Amino acid sequence: DSWLIRQPAATDGSSTLAKGHKWGYFPSVAAGWRISQESFLQNTSWLDILKLRASWGITGNAAVDAYSTLTALSDYKIYYYLGGSDLGGYIPSTMGNPNLTWEKTSSLDFGVDFGIIKNRVSGSIDYYTSKTSDLLYRKSAPPSSVYPSVITNIGKTEGNGLEVALNTLIAKTNNFSWN
């Protein structure tokens, strides 16, 4: 069969994210067409493999420390003098974020695989693009805040590129091969 289509999807959970945001859904789909197996190309002696590919999917990142979505106090005690009495308290260590959710990356890839001359020359060419949103970032609080920082979802990134791979079998005998 010259066509292959896959549609896996995954649901993932992370206990490190905020309540109500612990679960993420990460669908994907991929398709490939081996053109070289089609009847109109089967009698081509120099072409061994020709395959077109396309895929799209979403991945998630929940790489934050446990309990970092909760407001916490440090182990360090501080004393205040109020109304003629010493009162003890603790210094805040982190500010909670009840809205912290998954960082998500959407990726799209188009590719072609080829092999010619009995696969002595083979390779692939891929164009890809990825967009990440809701980046997990430890944001510094202003100096007037009692909290030093907060983990939040902020910003977006985007990347794309072209990948080319070329393999050649330069020489081959019974006891020796050079790729």
Side-chain angles (χ1 to χ4, degrees):
D1 197 11
S2 61
W3 279 94
L4 174 65
I5 298 175
R6 293 182 143 180
Q7 293 177 299
T11 301
D12 198 1
S14 173
S15 61
T16 62
L17 296 176
K19 186 177 181 179
H21 300 282
K22 293 183 182 298
W23 292 95
Y25 181 68
F26 307 104
S28 64
V29 63
W33 178 27
R34 292 184 194 197
I35 301 172
S36 55
Q37 289 184 351
E38 296 292 343
S39 60
F40 60 87
L41 283 180
Q42 284 186 341
N43 293 329
T44 307
S45 61
W46 58 273
L47 181 64
D48 301 304
I49 298 169
L50 182 59
K51 179 180 178 182
L52 296 178
R53 297 178 280 103
S55 64
W56 170 85
I58 296 176
T59 58
N61 176 20
V64 295
D65 294 335
Y67 309 112
S68 60
T69 60
L70 303 175
T71 300
L73 298 174
S74 71
D75 293 336
Y76 303 107
K77 202 166 192 178
I78 189 166
Y79 292 93
Y80 300 95
Y81 184 75
L82 295 171
S85 301
D86 281 335
L87 300 173
Y90 292 94
I91 299 171
S93 63
T94 58
M95 185 168 118
N97 183 349
N99 299 314
L100 193 67
T101 188
W102 288 88
E103 176 181 293
K104 290 186 176 182
T105 301
S106 172
S107 299
L108 180 65
D109 181 271
F110 297 102
V112 61
D113 300 325
F114 61 90
I116 59 173
I117 314 167
K118 296 185 181 175
N119 284 323
R120 291 185 73 102
V121 178
S122 63
S124 62
I125 301 170
D126 282 273
Y127 172 77
Y128 66 90
T129 183
S130 66
K131 296 178 181 178
T132 303
S133 61
D134 294 325
L135 292 165
L136 293 169
Y137 183 74
R138 183 172 295 280
K139 185 177 174 183
S140 296
S144 60
S145 172
V146 295
Y147 299 100
S149 64
V150 62
I151 293 180
T152 188
N153 295 103
I154 189 169
K156 296 178 182 182
T157 63
E158 184 174 334
N160 56 53
L162 186 67
E163 291 183 358
V164 178
L166 182 63
N167 306 303
T168 60
L169 178 59
I170 297 169
K172 183 176 181 181
T173 66
N174 289 341
N175 299 325
F176 175 79
S177 68
W178 179 17
N179 292 327

